[in-house]
Amino acid sequence: MRLSRYFLPVLKEDPAEAAIVSHRYMLRAGMIKQASAGIYSWLPLGFKILRKIENIVHEEQQKAGHMPMLMPTIQSADLWRESGRYEDYGDEMLRIQDRHGRDMLYGPTNEEQITDTFRAHVNSYKDLPLTLYQIQWKFRDERRPRFGVMRGREFFMKDGYNFDLTKEDALHAYNRHLVTYLRTYERLGLQAIPMRADGGPIGGDYTHEFLVLAETGESEVFYDSEVTDIKLGNRDVDFDDKAQCQEILEEFTTRYARTDETHDEAIFADVPEERRRSARGIEVGQIFYFGTKYSESMNATVIDENQKLVPVHMGSHGIGVSRLLGAIIEASHDDKGIIWPEGVTPFHCGIVNLKQGDDEADAACEGIYSALTKAGLEPLYDDRKERAGGKFATMDLIGLPWRITVGPRGLKNGVVELTSRRTGESEEMSPEAAIAKVVEIYANL
Ligand code: ATP
Ligand code: MG
C-alpha cells in the first residue's frame, strides 16, 4: 500500500475524550471513529488489525475441531423467555420491537439461540461431542461505555458453545478452550493469565477469566508471581488427548490467580509473601462450564446409549476480539505510539523515502516495495512529499514493527537503514539484505 493512496486520517493532537493510551492512539492513528457512545466505525487501519485478530482466533479454534458458523445479531425475545433470562438480563439488553409489535433484542450473547439450533437438529448421543462457535457483533447497553473499544456498547466477540453427553466430556471441552485461548493470546503477543472468576448472569461453577495485566485494567486481580513465568509456546497439543489437556489446565491454574470477585485473603496468605501480587488487569476472555442449565430449561436433550432421554452438558466460551486491540496497545506502546507485535501488525514493514522525487531514492523504494510484496508481505510505503520528521512520526504512531529508511546519502554508499520499532535500533545494510532480513523475520513467526 502506498500511503499517498491510503485512508489514514492521523490526528496531530491528543483527543480530549480519550482517558487511556489505547483509546488515544486508536483515535490518533485513524483506526476508529466514534459513531455514538460506545459505538465505533472501524476505519481501514483499525479494520485491518481487527480482521487479523479475528483470523488468528478462527485458526486456533479450528485446530481444536471447533466449527465456525454465524448467527444473527437480532434475536427473538421468546427464546430468552424460555431460559428465563429475558427479565434477568436487565438494562444492558437492548430491547426492540418490530413493526408487528414482536419483542426482539440485539444479542448480548447467544446461549439461547445456539441451544435452539442444537435442539432442532441433534437428538442422539452419536452426534456428540459438538462445539460450534461464531465471531459476531454483540450489543450490551453498558452503563458507562468508556476507554474506546475496551468497553464499547457494540463490540466484536468470539462466542463458542460445547454440547456433550457427560460432565466429564464437557470438562474436556472446557480444557480444550483453555488451551486454544492460551495459544491465541500468545500469538497476539500477549500474556493473558487464566484466573478463577465468578459465573455472573451466565451462571456456572467452573469459570476462568483471562487477564492481561495493565494499570488501566478495570479488574482488580491477585496472583502468585510464578503464574507469569508459564508459557504454552509451540508445544504439540493433541486436542483429543484428555489427559494432556487436563495437565495443561492444571499447570496454568493451580497457582493462586483470582479476580476480586473470588479473591480469598485466607488462601492467598499461603502464597509466599515475596510472590504475592495485586494488580489490575484487562479481561480478554472467559470460559464457562454450566452443566445442564440451558439444556434443561430449553429441552435440549439427546438419547443416550440406554435409549434414555438426557439433557446435554454445555459450556460457553468468549473472547473479546475488538477489546483485544485496546489490550494489545495497552501492553505494547511507548510515548511515540503503538508497537504492534509481528503477529497482528497491519503492515509488515514501513518504507520511508527521505527524498520523494529523487530518482534514485524513488527507484530504490519501488524496488524494496515490489520485492517485499513478491515475498508475500504487505509493506506500507510512505511516498508522500512530506518532511522526514513527519514521516517518522506517522510510522512511529501507527506502530509497524519494522521500517526501512531510504535516502540519497545512504544510497551513495549502497545502504538503507532497517529500524526496529520496539528497540529503536537501526542497522545500515544493502537494500537486498534489509529485504531478506524482513522476509526472514516473518517466515519464522
Ligand atoms: P465485563 O466483566 O468486562 O463486562 P463480561 O464478563 O460481562 O465482561 P463476557 O460475557 O465474559 O463479558 O464476554 C466475553 C468477552 O467479551 C469478555 O471477556 C470481554 O473480553 C469481552 N467484552 C465483554 N463486554 C465487552 C464490552 N462492553 N466491550 C468490549 N468487549 C467486551
Ligand atoms: Mg466475562
Side-chain angles (χ1 to χ4, degrees), residues 8 27 29-30 39 41-42 56 62 68 79 100 106 132 152 205 219 228 275 284 333 376 379 384 412 423 433:
L8 186 73
L27 291 170
I39 303 178
S41 293
W42 293 78
I56 289 175
Q62 289 171 45
L79 279 179
H100 307 292
Y106 194 127
L132 300 166
D205 302 331
S219 314
T228 58
R275 299 204 322 241
V284 291
H333 68 269
R384 298 169 306 161
K412 283 217 167 66
T423 64

Coordinates of all heavy atoms in Angstrom, one line a residue, residues 8 27 29-30 39 41-42 56 62 68 79 100 106 132 152 205 219 228 275 284 333 376 379 384 412 423 433:
L8 N -5.8 7.2 5.9 CA -5.2 7.2 7.3 C -5.3 8.6 7.9 O -4.4 9.4 7.9 CB -3.7 6.8 7.2 CG -3.0 6.5 8.5 CD1 -3.5 5.2 9.1 CD2 -1.5 6.5 8.3
L27 N -7.5 6.6 18.2 CA -8.1 7.7 17.5 C -7.0 8.5 16.7 O -7.2 8.8 15.6 CB -8.7 8.7 18.6 CG -10.0 8.2 19.3 CD1 -10.4 9.1 20.4 CD2 -11.2 8.1 18.3
A29 N -4.2 7.4 15.5 CA -3.7 6.7 14.3 C -4.8 6.4 13.3 O -4.6 5.7 12.3 CB -3.1 5.3 14.8
G30 N -6.0 7.0 13.4 CA -7.0 6.9 12.4 C -7.6 5.5 12.3 O -7.9 5.0 11.2
I39 N -20.0 3.1 20.4 CA -20.2 2.5 19.1 C -19.3 3.2 18.1 O -19.2 4.4 18.0 CB -21.7 2.7 18.6 CG1 -22.7 2.2 19.7 CG2 -22.0 2.1 17.3 CD1 -24.1 2.4 19.4
S41 N -17.1 3.3 14.2 CA -16.7 2.8 12.8 C -15.3 2.4 12.9 O -14.5 3.0 13.5 CB -16.8 4.0 11.8 OG -18.2 4.4 11.7
W42 N -15.0 1.3 12.1 CA -13.6 0.8 12.0 C -13.1 1.3 10.7 O -13.5 0.9 9.6 CB -13.6 -0.7 12.1 CG -14.0 -1.2 13.5 CD1 -15.3 -1.2 14.0 CD2 -13.2 -1.5 14.6 NE1 -15.3 -1.6 15.3 CE2 -14.0 -1.8 15.7 CE3 -11.8 -1.7 14.7 CZ2 -13.5 -2.2 16.9 CZ3 -11.3 -2.1 15.9 CH2 -12.1 -2.4 17.0
I56 N -6.7 -15.1 13.5 CA -6.0 -15.9 14.5 C -6.9 -16.7 15.4 O -6.7 -17.9 15.6 CB -5.0 -15.0 15.3 CG1 -3.9 -14.5 14.3 CG2 -4.4 -15.8 16.5 CD1 -2.9 -13.6 14.9
Q62 N -10.3 -23.7 15.1 CA -10.5 -24.8 14.2 C -9.4 -25.9 14.4 O -9.7 -27.1 14.1 CB -10.5 -24.3 12.7 CG -11.9 -23.5 12.5 CD -11.9 -22.8 11.2 OE1 -11.6 -23.3 10.2 NE2 -12.4 -21.5 11.3
P68 N -16.9 -23.1 13.0 CA -17.4 -21.8 12.8 C -18.8 -21.8 12.2 O -19.1 -22.6 11.3 CB -16.4 -21.1 11.9 CG -15.8 -22.2 11.1 CD -15.8 -23.4 12.0
L79 N -37.2 -16.8 22.9 CA -36.2 -17.7 23.3 C -35.6 -17.4 24.7 O -35.4 -18.3 25.5 CB -35.0 -17.7 22.3 CG -35.1 -18.5 21.0 CD1 -33.9 -18.3 20.2 CD2 -35.4 -20.0 21.3
H100 N -44.6 -5.5 13.8 CA -45.8 -6.3 14.2 C -45.9 -6.3 15.8 O -46.7 -7.0 16.3 CB -45.7 -7.7 13.7 CG -45.5 -7.8 12.3 ND1 -46.5 -7.4 11.4 CD2 -44.4 -8.2 11.5 CE1 -46.0 -7.6 10.1 NE2 -44.8 -8.0 10.2
Y106 N -31.2 -7.1 20.5 CA -29.9 -7.2 19.9 C -29.0 -8.0 20.8 O -28.8 -7.7 22.0 CB -29.3 -5.8 19.7 CG -28.1 -5.7 18.8 CD1 -28.0 -4.8 17.7 CD2 -27.0 -6.6 18.9 CE1 -26.9 -4.8 16.8 CE2 -25.9 -6.5 18.1 CZ -25.9 -5.6 17.0 OH -24.8 -5.6 16.2
L132 N -19.6 -25.6 18.5 CA -19.9 -24.6 17.5 C -19.5 -23.2 18.0 O -19.6 -23.0 19.2 CB -21.4 -24.6 17.2 CG -21.9 -25.9 16.6 CD1 -23.5 -25.9 16.7 CD2 -21.4 -26.2 15.2
G152 N -17.0 -1.0 24.9 CA -18.0 -0.5 24.0 C -19.4 -0.9 24.3 O -19.6 -1.7 25.2
D205 N -20.3 -23.1 37.8 CA -19.3 -23.2 38.9 C -17.9 -23.1 38.3 O -16.9 -22.7 39.0 CB -19.4 -24.5 39.6 CG -20.8 -24.7 40.2 OD1 -21.4 -23.6 40.5 OD2 -21.3 -25.8 40.3
S219 N -10.3 -4.6 36.1 CA -10.4 -5.7 37.1 C -9.3 -5.6 38.1 O -8.1 -5.4 37.7 CB -10.5 -7.1 36.5 OG -11.3 -7.1 35.4
T228 N 3.2 -15.8 36.0 CA 3.7 -15.1 34.9 C 4.9 -15.7 34.2 O 5.3 -15.3 33.1 CB 4.1 -13.6 35.3 OG1 5.1 -13.7 36.3 CG2 2.9 -12.9 35.8
R275 N 6.1 -13.5 46.6 CA 5.4 -13.9 45.3 C 4.0 -13.4 45.3 O 3.4 -13.5 44.2 CB 5.4 -15.4 45.1 CG 6.8 -16.0 45.1 CD 6.9 -17.3 44.3 NE 5.7 -18.2 44.5 CZ 5.8 -19.4 45.0 NH1 7.0 -19.9 45.4 NH2 4.7 -20.2 45.0
V284 N -9.8 -10.3 28.7 CA -9.9 -10.5 27.3 C -10.6 -11.8 26.9 O -10.7 -12.1 25.7 CB -8.5 -10.5 26.6 CG1 -7.9 -9.1 26.7 CG2 -7.5 -11.5 27.3
H333 N 3.3 -0.3 23.8 CA 3.4 1.1 23.2 C 4.5 1.9 23.9 O 5.1 1.4 24.9 CB 2.0 1.8 23.5 CG 1.8 2.1 24.9 ND1 1.1 1.3 25.8 CD2 2.2 3.2 25.7 CE1 1.1 1.7 27.0 NE2 1.8 2.9 27.0
G376 N 5.3 -12.0 -0.5 CA 4.0 -12.2 0.2 C 3.8 -11.3 1.4 O 2.9 -11.6 2.2
P379 N 4.0 -4.3 2.6 CA 4.7 -3.1 3.0 C 3.8 -1.8 3.0 O 2.8 -1.8 2.2 CB 5.8 -2.9 2.1 CG 5.4 -3.6 0.8 CD 4.3 -4.6 1.2
R384 N 4.7 10.1 0.3 CA 4.2 11.5 0.2 C 5.4 12.4 0.2 O 6.5 12.2 0.7 CB 3.3 11.7 1.5 CG 2.1 10.8 1.6 CD 1.4 10.9 2.9 NE 2.4 10.7 4.0 CZ 2.3 11.1 5.2 NH1 1.2 11.7 5.6 NH2 3.2 10.8 6.2
K412 N 24.2 6.5 -1.8 CA 25.6 6.7 -2.4 C 26.5 5.6 -1.9 O 27.5 5.2 -2.6 CB 26.1 8.1 -2.0 CG 25.4 9.2 -2.8 CD 26.4 10.3 -3.1 CE 25.8 11.2 -4.2 NZ 24.6 11.9 -3.6
T423 N 12.9 -1.7 19.7 CA 14.1 -1.3 20.4 C 14.6 0.1 19.9 O 15.5 0.7 20.6 CB 15.3 -2.3 20.1 OG1 15.5 -2.2 18.7 CG2 14.8 -3.7 20.5
A433 N 19.8 -6.9 1.6 CA 20.0 -7.5 2.9 C 18.8 -7.1 3.8 O 18.3 -8.0 4.6 CB 21.3 -7.1 3.6

